[in-house]
Amino acid sequence: MPKEREKVKCKTELEFITEVADDCVANLKDKDREHLIHNPYAIDYHFSYCLYIRNHYIHNRDFSDVDFGTEPDDLSSEIIRMIFAKLIPEYDFDNQFIENLFDDKRFIQLRQEYRAIYGDYPVAMVEEYKEGISFEPALFMSEISSSNNVDIDKEIEVSKKNHEKSCAHIEKLLKKLAEKVWRLDQLRQTAEECGIDYEELIPKIQEIQKILFEDREYIPVEVCLLPYKKAIGQKRYIEYRRRLRKLLEEHPKLMEKLDISYFNDRVLAKVVLKYRWPLGLLPQYQDDEVMVRYSLSHSGEAIEFASKRFQNNREWVKFAIEHSANGTIMYLDCMKPYRKDKELVYLACKVERWNFVYVDKSYRDDFELAKLCMEQVGNLNTIYEYMSARL
């Protein structure tokens, strides 16, 4: 007999959110508390801490007597924000500016960098900007959805204006915070100490600034010194490379925004060559056996970006096929010469049955190959319509 679910007695959504948040905070371990304070980015917790909240406080409760919305994802999102509000002094739960600010990943990264440099979070700066903005009165979504006497179009317009005003204010804060974190005067001093012309760094500094304010990605400005390995010394070089490597591991697409000269460093290159597409952006490695093998070992389809001598070598092609588990390698133009090669065709279809669609049409009547493809599990794609009428 299923266990009877506990009835929720809270009269409002805010009361319920507060009650759950209080219980969560009371039961936090010190390391979890510190982690939440250090990374108060709500979306990061959707499938972790918020999943726990949904299972422990929402899915097992009876909401039949309440008058507020009970969608689990929405509630857990509000609860995690209330938890932040109880842990972080400058985090006001019902403040749109604060919610938008802490939903901006750039702020979270700059906030963490600021603490690493100055020993504390930029509380005063956030408070200053929080006090410097006001909004038109607007209803919460729960109030809009639960009332029949609301001018929805008006509320949407007010909400849009408030959001635009908040975003513009956030950009101003981020520029000021970035200045504090980047410390360009100190960068100039480091460059001069190392015998580097600061004027040469300006284009790379501007590139990093553009990435933050236009592409919305944060990069430590010190990485612009990486091309000067001998001048800055081994200790600085390793530290700056470590910081860029960490960012690339989390956001490999960042490499598309950076000058490819950064990736002359093979350690940084290997971080991104785990994916298929970067080999196409790094011509310095397209004929490098060690790096091509490394790239193919992670994604065989990267062979389309390797030099012709690899594409024309059957053993390299076989190696690429063996490591193409996440894709249909036979559709690539460079694989045309191998679509009749029985060993490679069988190998490709064993790795991924959808390759059957791209191999030579003579194989569409091959019973053993079709059987090999049809026996595979875990892939919803079917080759049935591509088999011969006889099969």
Side-chain angles (χ1 to χ4, degrees):
M1 186 173 180
K3 183 179 178 181
E4 186 176 349
R5 292 189 297 172
E6 178 185 348
K7 273 189 178 291
V8 173
K9 298 177 183 178
C10 299
K11 298 203 179 333
T12 66
E13 180 180 354
L14 181 59
E15 184 183 345
F16 175 73
I17 289 168
T18 303
E19 179 184 281
V20 174
D22 283 338
D23 194 59
C24 287
V25 171
N27 289 286
L28 281 175
K29 295 178 180 178
D30 288 344
K31 66 175 183 177
D32 295 328
R33 181 186 298 266
E34 287 303 315
H35 180 75
L36 288 166
I37 293 171
H38 188 64
N39 186 46
Y41 191 55
I43 194 64
D44 276 359
Y45 300 97
H46 183 74
F47 294 110
S48 53
Y49 193 35
C50 284
L51 178 61
Y52 164 80
I53 290 171
R54 290 191 291 275
N55 289 335
H56 194 70
Y57 296 100
I58 300 173
H59 290 310
N60 63 346
R61 300 288 183 88
D62 179 354
F63 289 87
S64 59
D65 292 340
V66 305
D67 294 326
F68 54 83
T70 59
E71 205 288 315
D73 285 351
D74 292 344
L75 281 178
S76 65
S77 176
E78 293 303 306
I79 290 165
I80 191 70
R81 295 181 193 282
M82 181 61 81
I83 291 171
F84 293 154
K86 292 180 178 297
L87 296 176
I88 301 169
E90 68 274 26
Y91 196 114
D92 293 350
F93 174 73
D94 58 350
N95 186 294
Q96 182 174 349
F97 170 72
I98 289 296
E99 180 175 329
N100 295 154
L101 179 64
F102 280 79
D103 277 347
D104 192 317
K105 188 66 175 178
R106 296 172 300 166
F107 170 70
I108 301 298
Q109 292 172 315
L110 287 168
R111 178 177 178 268
Q112 292 168 352
E113 291 291 326
Y114 185 96
R115 183 174 186 267
I117 295 167
Y118 300 105
D120 206 351
Y121 296 110
V123 177
M125 189 183 301
V126 173
E127 292 286 1
E128 176 189 344
Y129 278 81
K130 183 171 66 176
E131 294 300 322
I133 188 170
S134 59
F135 298 108
E136 291 184 45
L139 296 176
F140 292 111
M141 286 304 299
S142 58
E143 294 175 307
I144 295 174
S145 60
S146 62
S147 174
N148 296 322
N149 301 314
V150 174
D151 185 338
I152 295 178
D153 290 336
K154 178 184 176 183
E155 289 299 324
I156 290 174
E157 185 62 28
V158 170
S159 178
K160 181 181 177 182
K161 287 181 180 178
N162 286 344
H163 182 73
E164 290 173 352
K165 187 176 183 180
S166 176
C167 289
H169 203 55
I170 285 170
E171 290 302 313
K172 293 177 183 178
L173 185 155
L174 290 178
K175 285 181 181 179
K176 183 174 179 179
L177 186 55
E179 288 175 4
K180 293 284 188 182
V181 167
W182 280 333
R183 299 179 293 172
L184 294 184
D185 287 345
Q186 185 168 319
L187 181 70
R188 180 190 289 272
Q189 182 179 340
T190 300
E192 290 173 353
E193 288 174 0
C194 297
I196 300 168
D197 183 355
Y198 184 76
E199 296 301 315
E200 289 183 9
L201 298 178
I202 290 177
K204 290 190 181 297
I205 293 170
Q206 291 173 338
E207 178 184 71
I208 289 171
Q209 291 172 330
K210 178 179 179 293
I211 290 171
L212 178 69
F213 295 113
E214 294 185 20
D215 299 319
R216 304 180 68 81
E217 296 283 357
Y218 168 75
I219 297 175
V221 74
E222 295 87 357
V223 305
C224 71
L225 294 171
L226 283 173
Y228 304 89
K229 182 176 181 178
K230 290 183 179 179
I232 63 177
Q234 187 75 356
K235 184 177 179 180
R236 280 196 181 108
Y237 184 81
I238 291 174
E239 171 59 20
Y240 300 160
R241 184 179 67 183
R242 181 193 64 79
R243 299 186 74 188
L244 182 56
R245 178 179 181 176
K246 184 174 184 292
L247 285 173
L248 288 168
E249 286 172 345
E250 295 173 358
H251 310 286
K253 283 286 185 180
L254 267 180
M255 71 94 51
E256 294 179 336
K257 302 176 173 66
L258 292 168
D259 190 295
I260 64 170
S261 64
Y262 287 113
F263 299 93
N264 289 335
D265 183 293
R266 296 169 79 88
V267 172
L268 292 177
K270 283 187 173 183
V271 174
V272 296
L273 286 174
K274 294 175 183 177
Y275 304 91
R276 170 185 170 184
W277 47 272
L279 187 60
L281 302 176
L282 299 174
Q284 62 266 51
Y285 297 120
Q286 290 168 3
D287 197 51
D288 183 313
E289 289 194 14
V290 173
M291 299 300 268
V292 168
R293 180 175 292 276
Y294 180 84
S295 182
L296 296 184
S297 70
H298 287 86
S299 178
E301 290 160 285
I303 195 167
E304 70 173 313
F305 303 116
S307 70
K308 290 293 183 183
R309 75 181 180 99
F310 296 107
Q311 296 176 0
N312 296 333
N313 185 303
R314 190 177 180 278
E315 289 306 308
W316 278 96
V317 170
K318 183 178 179 180
F319 180 80
I321 293 173
E322 290 171 341
H323 295 85
S324 63
N326 294 323
T328 49
I329 194 170
M330 280 297 183
Y331 91 93
L332 299 175
D333 287 342
C334 64
M335 299 301 289
K336 285 180 181 179
Y338 306 100
R339 290 174 183 167
K340 288 185 178 181
D341 186 310
K342 186 171 183 178
E343 181 189 4
L344 298 184
V345 165
Y346 266 70
L347 176 60
C349 289
K350 182 179 180 181
V351 170
E352 168 52 64
R353 68 178 170 196
W354 202 243
N355 280 304
F356 184 88
V357 177
Y358 299 99
V359 300
D360 190 77
K361 290 184 178 180
S362 61
Y363 287 101
R364 297 193 175 185
D365 195 50
D366 187 317
F367 173 78
E368 292 301 326
L369 183 61
K371 181 181 177 184
L372 174 70
C373 293
M374 297 293 282
E375 286 177 341
Q376 293 179 31
V377 296
N379 187 334
L380 298 179
N381 288 324
T382 177
I383 63 162
Y384 182 79
E385 62 183 288
Y386 294 95
M387 296 189 296
S388 67
R390 181 183 75 85
L391 293 183

